[in-house]
Amino acid sequence: MTQAQEFEKVLSASDTSVAAFDEHKSAVRRVQHFLHSTPAAVPLIVLVLSIIIFGITIGGRFFSSYTLTLILQQIAIVGILGAAQTLVILTAGIDLSIGVIMVISAVIMGNCAVSYGLPSVVAVALGLATGAACGLLNGLLVAYMKLPPFIVTLGTWNIVMATNFIYSANETIRDTDVDTQAPLLHLFALSFKVGTAVLTLGVIAMVALVMLLWYVLNHTAWGRHVYAVGDDQEAAKLSGIQTKKVLVTVYTLAGLIAAFAAWVSIGRNGSISPSAAVTDYNLQAITATVIGGISLFGGRGSILGTLFGAMIVGVVSMGLNMLGADPQWKVLLTGVLIIGAVAVDQWIRKVSA
């Protein structure tokens, strides 16, 4: 008993302080952590700075409601395609075919409604189904055949483009024919005023889609699974996530969104031209996604950043046009922004390393 009491005395006299492992973070380290936890912050900062710089350079004309809403109208299609590309890149993949999927979906809609005389609702449904089917093919090849996404979508890009030209015989469906026989295809061209600003339904559709996908990615189990697959597919599989199912769903949804972009593009462009397949819509979508802070390594980024990235490209393009600059300056600045975005992403990723 006496020995126990002596032992207790020793304990009571011992040091009771707890070891502290708190790391003193420098200002740079704190910024790094903030940007890592808020991936949309970088593109938002760049967007605000771009608006301020062009606003100071050009003056009040740049801040007019007409200019700002025109920028939104011009990026609507790229913003929607960028949303589709974002889903794929978050899984550490890439889809080189969404641009031509959009074009062939528009051609299907136009031919079904104008050439075949089907009801506009049926034509739209068939166009959406075409896009989803193309995305499903990509997903099955990536998930079950274990083929690299770059190779798969490069192949389907060629297949879909050739099919587009063969099926359509490269014949353009005129704006007047669409307006007369299938006005539903021009739905997203409808505009309305908010004060002095004029917005189209296409712009509203882009913003609504991005907000819906933001909610799904951040507040549903499926969204968390998408990030998990992109971060580490093997670890996600071991944790019970059906990685193949997630990949197939992502690529199918990307194809469906590309077909939705086709519907919006008909409203934006008026006519339906198969030759639009040669336009670099896909490159523009990837540009918006990368500038928007979506990591090409997968598993990190916010779809809100993609919207900001598309707006950055739109602001730069509009600002340079208003300044009367050589169009090649837009290409140059876009390249600088892409390299800068990847460099910042690499710097931010060191936080989690």
Side-chain angles (χ1 to χ4, degrees), residues 6-7 83 94 97-98 111-112 119 122 127 133 135-136 141 144 158 177 215 234 239 246 255 261 301 310 314 327 330:
E6 291 295 328
F7 180 70
I94 196 165
S97 65
I98 58 171
N111 276 282
C112 287
V122 176
L136 176 62
L141 292 173
Y144 289 94
N158 283 281
D177 293 335
Y215 177 83
E234 287 303 315
S239 67
V246 171
K330 174 192 170 183

Side-chain angles (χ1 to χ4, degrees), residues 41-316:
V42 173
L44 179 58
I45 292 169
V46 174
L47 175 62
V48 172
L49 289 176
S50 300
I51 293 174
I52 292 173
I53 290 171
F54 282 112
I56 294 173
T57 306
I58 297 171
R61 285 189 305 133
F62 188 77
F63 291 108
S64 69
S65 57
Y66 172 79
T67 300
L68 297 178
T69 53
L70 183 59
I71 291 172
L72 290 175
Q73 292 174 29
Q74 290 177 342
I75 68 166
I77 300 171
V78 173
I80 294 172
L81 288 177
Q85 191 67 257
T86 297
L87 295 176
V88 177
I89 291 179
L90 284 175
T91 64
I94 196 165
D95 191 345
L96 300 178
S97 65
I98 58 171
V100 292
I101 290 176
M102 180 192 77
V103 175
I104 197 171
S105 298
V107 169
I108 293 289
M109 291 180 190
N111 276 282
C112 287
V114 177
S115 302
Y116 309 149
L118 295 177
S120 297
V121 175
V122 176
V124 170
L126 289 173
L128 294 175
T130 299
C134 293
L136 176 62
L137 175 61
N138 286 334
L140 292 174
L141 292 173
V142 170
Y144 289 94
M145 298 295 291
K146 303 290 186 181
L147 299 177
F150 182 89
I151 300 302
V152 168
T153 56
L154 178 62
T156 54
W157 173 75
N158 283 281
I159 293 170
V160 173
M161 176 179 282
T163 304
N164 165 60
F165 287 122
I166 293 170
Y167 167 72
S168 65
N170 203 17
E171 294 180 356
T172 299
I173 301 174
R174 295 180 301 173
D175 184 8
T176 53
D177 293 335
V178 175
D179 209 28
T180 303
Q181 300 181 48
L184 180 64
L185 298 184
H186 282 166
L187 173 66
F188 292 101
L190 297 178
S191 61
F192 60 94
K193 281 191 174 184
V194 179
T196 57
V198 179
L199 296 174
T200 64
L201 289 184
V203 172
I204 301 302
M206 174 188 66
V207 175
L209 176 66
V210 169
M211 296 308 298
L212 174 63
L213 290 176
W214 175 86
Y215 177 83
V216 170
L217 288 170
N218 290 277
H219 297 283
T220 68
W222 182 82
R224 290 189 290 273
H225 292 171
V226 170
Y227 279 99
V229 169
D231 189 49
D232 190 329
Q233 187 170 333
E234 287 303 315
K237 187 176 181 179
L238 291 173
S239 67
I241 296 174
Q242 296 180 321
T243 55
K244 292 181 180 178
K245 184 178 179 180
V246 171
L247 287 172
V248 170
T249 306
V250 163
Y251 280 91
T252 303
L253 184 56
L256 180 62
I257 293 172
F260 178 68
W263 191 4
V264 175
S265 72
I266 296 173
R268 170 70 182 164
N269 300 325
S271 61
I272 302 172
S273 175
S275 60
V278 300
T279 307
D280 58 347
Y281 281 118
N282 187 61
L283 183 59
Q284 294 174 31
I286 294 175
T287 299
T289 305
V290 173
I291 293 176
I294 306 299
S295 176
L296 289 172
F297 300 96
R300 202 187 73 81
S302 170
I303 197 166
L304 292 179
T306 299
L307 178 59
F308 298 147
M311 293 176 69
I312 289 169
V313 175
V315 167
V316 170

